[in-house]
Amino acid sequence: MENNGRLCRLSIGVAGITLGMSLAGAVCAKTETIVGGVTDISESTGNDYSIIQKAVVNFNGADVGWIAADDSTINIEGGSVGKDAPGGLTLSASVLHAEGTVISNAEGTGLALRSLAAAGSNATLSKSKVFGVGIGVMVGKSGDLALSNTSVIGTQDAAGKGVGIDVTEATATLTEGSYVRGDSVGVLVTPAGQRPGGGKSSNLNVVTVDGSIVQSTYGAAIKVDEPPRAGTVFTGTVANIVVRNNSVLLSGNGNLLEVEHASTATFTVDNSTLTGNLVADDTSALNVTLRNNAQLTGDVINGNNLSINSGAQWQMVGDNSVATLALNRGTVSFGDGFHTLSLGELSGYGTFAMNIDLAAGIGDLLVVNGEANGSFALKVKNTGVEPVSPDIQPLQVVHTEGGDAQFNLLGNKVDLGAYSYELEKQGTDWFIVGSGKIISPSTQSVLALFNAAPTIWMSELTTLRSRMGEVRNSGEGGGWIRAYGNRFNATTSAGVDYEQRQSGMSFGADAPVPVSSGQLLIGLLGGYSKSDLDLSRGTSGNVDSYYVGAYGTWLSEEGYYVDGVLKLNKFHNESELAMSDQTKSKGSYTNTGIGGSVEFGKHIKLADDFFLEPFAQMAAVVIQGDHYTLDNGLEAKNNRTQSVLGKVGTSVGRNIALKDGGVLQPYVRVAVAHEFARSNEVTVNDTRFNNELFGSRAELGAGVAVSLSKRLQVHADFDYMKGNNVEQPWGANVGVRFAF
């Protein structure tokens, strides 16, 4: 007969033969029972199916009601189960393979894996969806659930669970972007009954989240619990949980994992980043392992054992207490603010990332109430901000009760403003102390930048011969260009060492101006140079210099010459530094400089075409001061930088006639120079530093000028200089002059 538009029919399948009959006048249950054999169903019937006695049923694109399987195998491809209420799929000692299928139950559990005698059920789902009210998927004793690119959702507000693992020896594996969500809890591991006499079982429930997501709307992402039941004895749930390969846990209450009621959880995070707390109550045990660059941001509450290995990091958000901590190339970060980590025992080797306020006398604190054994680096956060008080008192950062542990500052120093401070062991404790402080890398970088500009300006200028070669000719004007490179090793009076490498190009043009005696050339020049500063250990700077100028050169018939230059520069300065804790900082500023040079000399002809050319030079430059701040908070200020350099020397060379009418003019040059400027003061935060390069220097050079024709001349020069606070291991200059 028809019932709600459907024909009621009872079908019984035996050994692949289906017998059916219409039940006139009967109450329609729309249930088909399949007993044994192999059955294929590809038509959407909307019927319910009871499958028993080792039957194998293949559903292919069919929409059916609920399915209950007992000691059988179900294969589903496409289609749906439970499209109409009540729906759902229940396995008892059975096997399910589903792909591209929707399984739902509007009145209860979407998919249930139950055991029969000692045999559990296995379910493998790929590219499928499961919906349930109360529980999305329930896994019973010895059950095995494998999800691949599959979503499971359990609703019902406070009672909704995505996956519920019941009893013991059950496994649930989520892979390839699977998603499990429950209103109350994402995955719940809990026993269904009690063991006589109590006591924990050695049988584990195993949950593996691999490249997948577990979420709870209101509660914990995962919970291991044995809820109280009247008249029963707590035996505790035992669970092994692995979260790996960029998996994500999301919680509604901030707790990724909760362990309660005498339960034990082993929680492993492998190559994943999690944010939230791991919580155990006072009756339970929580053992945590972070490995393979895993990151956990949150608190571990009532943790028993915590292992952080192979580049993994735990970042605390508050005070924490853990019974045993073992590090194996792992890091514990105390997070923002100031916190205390209390340990029963500490072992291994790794890093503790900490914050301190040395002036205020507060900071993060590591407390080991038992023995500490191993080797550990303290990565104390560096800053350019200066301690307010000049009277720095020792600040305790580590306390132990014994053991052979060694603690060292990462980079051996901690940078706090203008200075770097040391770590000192006192008894079994470690303190940051102000004694033995040195200039910090941040300070070194700004002192080097403020000090480099005069050296740059002078190197762009040099002597007349280095700038234009031999200009004694018929008095005609011309154009010239030169390329140059220099290296300097400098030590400021504040004790900052740096290496400077400069390369650049100058060009100019001049024209003769009639005078009563001798020759006068008036010209304009311009150019660019780039200087790289290396302060070692990752701290560097660079200066881009752009300049224009004017010059005049007077040559007498008796060999005397006077050369004057006025030059204006614009400097763009940048510094990038590696602080002692290996973090990076940078800053930049732009300023200008103006200066001039006067050189006087005489060309003296000697026998056999040799010549002597003594000279004296005075050059001075004033570099505009500036105020700038590094992004680590360090402030640097300088009113101005100045240089007054006097130089006397002589060149000795010979004119060698070439067969084609040209002239080859090799020479050597010796000179002494003295830097007269003193007290180029720089203020770093509120500390003043004298940043001068005062002192004398000796110079040695050699070069050659070649007149290839009356109008074309090339020249090359090589220089060495050594003096107080500065050395030039080498300098090179190559130029061309063309007469108009």
Side-chain angles (χ1 to χ4, degrees):
M1 63 176 290
E2 298 286 341
N3 182 26
N4 294 329
R6 295 184 180 274
L7 173 65
C8 292
R9 179 179 177 83
L10 173 64
S11 299
I12 301 177
V14 181
I17 301 174
T18 301
L19 304 176
M21 59 180 294
S22 297
L23 302 178
V27 177
C28 180
K30 299 183 292 181
T31 300
E32 295 189 25
T33 301
I34 300 176
V35 182
V38 177
T39 303
D40 295 324
I41 298 175
S42 58
E43 180 182 356
S44 296
T45 64
N47 292 344
D48 305 327
Y49 290 88
S50 176
I51 302 168
I52 59 176
Q53 296 183 16
K54 300 187 183 303
V56 176
V57 181
N58 302 311
F59 293 91
N60 188 3
D63 296 325
V64 300
W66 57 257
I67 298 176
D70 189 337
D71 191 24
S72 297
T73 297
I74 301 173
N75 299 308
I76 307 176
E77 185 172 351
S80 65
V81 177
K83 189 174 182 180
D84 300 319
L89 196 159
T90 301
L91 304 176
S92 297
S94 296
V95 176
L96 167 67
H97 297 280
E99 181 176 355
T101 302
V102 178
I103 301 172
S104 61
N105 187 351
E107 298 181 2
T109 300
L111 170 63
L113 280 64
R114 303 186 183 280
S115 60
L116 185 64
S121 296
N122 298 332
T124 302
L125 293 85
S126 65
K127 302 177 182 178
S128 298
K129 298 179 180 180
V130 180
F131 300 92
V133 175
I135 301 177
V137 177
M138 187 279 290
V139 185
K141 179 178 175 60
S142 301
D144 187 357
L145 172 68
L147 305 178
S148 173
N149 193 19
T150 293
S151 64
V152 174
I153 296 177
T155 61
Q156 204 176 46
D157 295 332
K161 305 165 187 66
V163 172
I165 298 180
D166 228 345
V167 195
T168 60
E169 299 176 298
T171 64
T173 304
L174 287 63
T175 63
E176 297 184 15
S178 291
Y179 174 70
V180 170
R181 189 187 80 215
D183 283 348
S184 172
V185 61
V187 174
L188 175 66
V189 185
T190 181
Q194 311 301 321
R195 289 178 287 278
K200 286 185 171 60
S201 168
S202 60
N203 296 324
L204 293 178
N205 297 289
V206 179
V207 177
T208 302
V209 184
D210 189 339
S212 299
I213 300 173
V214 175
Q215 181 178 11
S216 171
T217 305
Y218 304 111
I222 302 175
K223 189 169 186 177
V224 180
D225 187 20
E226 181 176 2
R229 297 178 178 87
T232 61
V233 178
F234 279 121
T235 60
T237 301
V238 183
N240 186 357
I241 302 162
V242 178
V243 180
R244 65 191 183 199
N245 293 333
N246 299 309
S247 292
V248 177
L249 303 184
L250 302 172
S251 67
N253 64 358
N255 296 335
L256 303 181
L257 173 67
E258 294 177 353
V259 187
E260 298 180 355
H261 297 113
S263 298
T264 298
T266 299
F267 186 76
T268 301
V269 184
D270 188 326
N271 189 31
S272 295
T273 299
L274 304 180
T275 300
N277 303 321
L278 310 179
V279 183
D281 66 13
D282 293 337
T283 67
S284 300
L286 171 59
N287 304 309
V288 180
T289 298
L290 309 178
R291 66 190 185 197
N292 292 335
N293 300 307
Q295 296 188 40
L296 171 66
T297 300
D299 292 330
V300 179
I301 300 173
N302 287 330
N304 292 75
N305 299 290
L306 174 59
S307 298
I308 306 176
N309 308 322
S310 54
Q313 175 176 305
W314 170 36
Q315 179 169 313
M316 301 160 39
V317 297
D319 294 343
N320 277 260
S321 178
V322 176
T324 300
L325 173 62
L327 297 180
N328 182 4
R329 295 186 296 110
T331 298
V332 176
S333 173
F334 282 69
D336 297 330
F338 303 117
H339 304 297
T340 298
L341 173 59
S342 299
L343 305 174
E345 295 180 355
L346 172 65
S347 63
Y349 60 99
T351 302
F352 292 92
M354 312 176 81
N355 300 306
I356 66 171
D357 185 338
L358 198 57
I362 57 175
D364 292 327
L365 179 62
L366 173 63
V367 177
V368 185
N369 295 309
E371 283 200 352
N373 298 289
S375 179
F376 307 96
L378 303 183
K379 185 179 180 180
V380 178
K381 184 178 181 180
N382 289 197
T383 177
V385 179
E386 195 73 22
V388 177
S389 171
D391 183 20
I392 302 300
Q393 299 298 316
L395 175 64
Q396 185 178 17
V397 290
V398 177
H399 166 75
T400 72
E401 292 291 337
D404 63 6
Q406 294 297 315
F407 293 88
N408 298 283
L409 286 173
L410 190 65
N412 299 316
K413 304 283 182 181
V414 53
D415 304 337
L416 302 173
Y419 292 98
S420 298
Y421 298 83
E422 296 180 326
L423 181 70
E424 183 178 285
K425 184 179 181 182
Q426 299 178 10
T428 58
D429 300 329
W430 278 260
F431 296 80
I432 302 293
V433 295
S435 60
K437 65 183 182 182
I438 63 172
I439 295 175
S440 69
S442 301
T443 304
Q444 293 179 24
S445 71
V446 299
L447 292 179
L449 272 185
F450 280 131
N451 197 70
T455 307
I456 295 170
W457 193 92
M458 294 292 181
S459 298
E460 295 167 347
L461 184 69
T462 67
T463 64
L464 172 65
R465 178 175 290 276
S466 296
R467 188 176 74 249
M468 296 193 300
E470 175 56 60
V471 296
R472 291 169 183 83
N473 48 35
S474 62
E476 296 177 341
W480 55 270
I481 186 169
R482 76 179 183 103
Y484 54 91
N486 301 284
R487 175 182 161 182
F488 299 94
N489 298 323
T491 301
T492 72
S493 55
V496 175
D497 298 329
Y498 65 91
E499 178 185 292
Q500 177 181 341
R501 295 179 300 276
Q502 180 190 30
S503 60
M505 179 172 290
S506 294
F507 53 87
D510 48 58
V513 176
V515 292
S516 58
S517 64
Q519 306 169 17
L520 177 61
L521 298 174
I522 300 296
L524 299 176
L525 62 84
Y528 164 80
S529 74
K530 181 177 181 62
S531 295
D532 295 314
L533 280 59
D534 185 359
L535 289 87
S536 73
R537 293 185 301 178
T539 297
S540 62
N542 62 76
V543 182
D544 292 301
S545 172
Y546 305 87
Y547 54 92
V548 294
Y551 63 91
T553 304
W554 176 75
L555 305 168
S556 75
E557 295 176 355
E558 292 80 15
Y560 292 100
Y561 72 89
V562 177
D563 181 61
V565 180
L566 183 66
K567 185 159 69 76
L568 174 66
N569 283 60
K570 183 174 183 179
F571 303 100
H572 180 69
N573 309 266
E574 293 184 349
S575 60
E576 181 173 330
L577 58 108
M579 294 184 285
S580 294
D581 65 353
Q582 299 180 358
T583 58
K584 294 287 187 178
S585 182
K586 59 184 179 181
S588 64
Y589 67 97
T590 300
N591 60 349
T592 58
I594 187 169
S597 167
V598 176
E599 180 183 339
F600 171 78
K602 182 178 182 181
H603 185 82
I604 303 172
K605 294 181 179 181
L606 303 176
D608 297 326
D609 293 324
F610 283 94
F611 66 86
L612 183 67
E613 195 171 84
F615 71 94
Q617 182 184 19
M618 180 65 72
V621 62
V622 176
I623 312 297
Q624 174 193 21
D626 207 343
H627 176 281
Y628 80 109
T629 303
L630 295 176
D631 60 9
N632 65 6
L634 183 133
E635 296 183 355
K637 180 175 65 176
N638 133 284
N639 292 328
R640 66 179 179 272
T641 300
Q642 56 190 9
S643 174
V644 180
L645 186 68
K647 184 184 301 185
V648 294
T650 186
S651 298
V652 178
R654 185 183 184 189
N655 293 314
I656 302 173
L658 302 177
K659 293 181 179 181
D660 56 1
V663 177
L664 175 68
Q665 189 184 79
Y667 73 93
V668 294
R669 178 176 57 83
V670 293
V672 292
H674 186 78
E675 174 61 70
F676 293 94
R678 308 200 67 164
S679 190
N680 283 323
E681 190 174 272
V682 176
T683 301
V684 179
N685 293 337
D686 292 324
T687 303
R688 295 182 178 181
F689 294 90
N690 187 355
N691 204 38
E692 65 187 33
L693 288 177
F694 175 84
S696 298
R697 311 164 187 177
E699 298 182 359
L700 177 64
V704 61
V706 183
S707 298
L708 299 178
S709 68
K710 182 180 179 180
R711 296 186 179 276
L712 181 61
Q713 181 190 88
V714 297
H715 62 93
D717 307 275
F718 304 93
D719 298 291
Y720 170 81
M721 179 264 289
K722 176 71 174 178
N724 293 340
N725 300 323
V726 63
E727 177 189 16
Q728 183 183 22
W730 59 267
N733 173 79
V734 178
V736 176
R737 178 177 175 82
F738 182 79
F740 297 144

